Amino acid sequence: TLTASAIAEKYGIPFVNGESVAANLTERGFKWFFRTTPIASDIAKIYYDFLTDMKASGVKSDSIAIVHDTTEYGVSVANVITSAFKEKGKAIALDIPYTINATDVQGQVLQLKEKKPDVVIMIAYTSDAILYQKTMQALDYKPPMIIADDSGYSDPSMIKAVGKISKGILNRSSWSVGPAGSPTALIADMYKKKTGDDMDDTTGRAMQAFFVLCDAIDRAGSTEPAKIQAALKATDLKPNQLMMGYKGVKFDEKGQNILASSLIIQLQDGENYVAVWPKGSSQKAPELPYKGW
């Protein structure tokens, strides 16, 4: 996204991004870049508020470890979470980086096992997420709470591969299927029939961004880049016009959706995620501690 959006900016082409959460993407002074998804700072607030609620209910959440890859995504999200928690007077006890597409993460898991944090925040793409879950089982390590940062942990292939040994893993998401017959349930059904896979948060956020762009093109009544750019700047979509759980879509002067938001979901049965937080948007209560297998 960092590279592709720079090319779009050079040629004056509207670029609507639905998934990338690195904070610096909207800090470059670009005029053609728009992002609909919650970003790292939004995510950090969600984690902090969720853990504060859990602590109030008697769940120990003082010692926090962050495990992340060394990509732009992994490093930026880890840094923003660390800074945001520090501002609230809560230090991150352990920061464990690793190289993407790892072949062995025993060292990282053994480090967690030795330090015994109350909460482990996992920032990983799919292959690494699968490897971490398998390694945790092999080394018999079950932290009291694992919160996944979407990405690989939302991928249906991850759930197929290691869902049964990842029971109780928490995840951040803006996607929830909703009750039968609801617009989101209908979209999920159409997607499943078309692809054979269940709709997940990453796919949903990409689709939502595409719908936002379509809406802007419709309002512009043109495929002229400048007219689409003006329509994007004027976007003001309400929750009932969206398939994702955002409070709306409205861009600030940097192109960031100021109404983006997320839920905390949990893989309670090893097969399907359910919304567990916040209370007003949840289907079930969180089940803790983490079960694993």
Side-chain angles (χ1 to χ4, degrees):
T1 302
L2 196 69
T3 306
S5 57
I7 301 298
E9 188 73 15
K10 179 182 176 182
Y11 290 102
I13 304 297
F15 191 115
V16 181
N17 175 259
E19 304 149 77
S20 307
V21 301
N24 61 333
L25 289 170
T26 46
E27 299 300 315
R28 296 172 293 170
F30 283 11
K31 303 299 180 190
W32 298 88
F33 183 77
F34 299 85
R35 176 165 54 182
T36 54
T37 186
I39 58 170
S41 55
D42 301 317
I43 295 159
K45 185 180 186 308
I46 287 157
Y47 293 155
Y48 183 84
D49 290 349
F50 172 71
L51 291 174
T52 300
D53 276 5
M54 290 302 97
K55 188 173 182 180
S57 68
V59 177
K60 198 162 180 258
S61 59
D62 295 321
S63 173
I64 302 167
I66 299 180
V67 180
H68 63 92
D69 66 32
T70 53
T71 64
E72 184 76 28
Y73 158 62
V75 173
S76 64
V77 174
N79 286 346
V80 171
I81 292 171
T82 301
S83 298
F85 274 56
K86 190 177 179 182
E87 282 175 16
K88 300 278 191 181
K90 199 175 183 80
I92 299 298
L94 201 58
D95 183 293
I96 302 178
Y98 70 92
T99 305
I100 191 170
N101 297 325
T103 55
D104 185 348
V105 292
Q106 287 190 67
Q108 287 84 350
V109 174
L110 286 170
Q111 201 175 342
L112 290 168
K113 195 171 182 178
E114 181 194 347
K115 300 292 184 183
K116 297 182 175 64
D118 301 322
V119 181
V120 177
I121 297 175
M122 297 294 305
I123 304 169
Y125 288 112
T126 306
S127 63
D128 296 327
I130 292 169
L131 181 60
Y132 267 105
Q133 295 311 114
K134 286 181 175 178
T135 306
M136 285 183 186
Q137 184 191 34
L139 296 175
D140 194 30
Y141 171 63
K142 293 183 188 179
M145 189 190 305
I146 302 181
I147 306 176
D149 188 59
D150 191 32
S151 194
Y153 286 88
S154 292
D155 192 325
S157 64
M158 179 269 176
I159 298 168
K160 284 176 187 172
V162 292
K164 292 297 185 187
I165 62 167
S166 307
K167 291 175 185 174
I169 199 164
L170 296 153
N171 195 356
R172 67 148 173 107
S173 177
S174 298
W175 167 254
S176 181
V177 175
S182 64
T184 45
L186 293 171
I187 290 169
D189 186 51
M190 289 165 68
Y191 183 81
K192 176 94 175 187
K193 284 176 181 171
K194 182 78 174 175
T195 67
D197 282 323
D198 290 313
M199 173 79 79
D200 68 333
D201 181 73
T202 308
T203 307
R205 286 185 294 132
M207 196 183 290
Q208 183 65 77
F210 177 68
F211 288 160
V212 169
L213 176 58
C214 290
D215 170 72
I217 294 169
D218 280 348
R219 285 185 289 105
S222 170
T223 55
E224 204 176 298
K227 288 183 179 177
I228 297 169
Q229 179 197 42
L232 283 165
K233 286 181 177 179
T235 296
D236 188 8
L237 295 172
K238 308 303 179 189
N240 64 356
Q241 294 174 280
L242 308 176
M243 59 175 279
M244 299 302 284
Y246 304 155
K247 293 170 185 173
V249 177
K250 195 171 190 175
F251 298 110
D252 64 15
E253 68 284 353
K254 295 178 181 178
Q256 175 59 35
N257 177 19
I258 58 171
L259 299 175
S261 57
S262 280
L263 313 166
I264 295 291
I265 57 177
Q266 188 173 36
L267 196 64
Q268 293 191 347
D269 60 2
E271 293 182 2
N272 300 287
Y273 279 112
V274 293
V276 295
W277 186 89
K279 279 184 180 176
S281 306
S282 60
Q283 296 162 268
K284 294 186 177 180
E287 292 179 357
L288 296 165
Y290 171 70
K291 290 177 186 173
W293 46 93

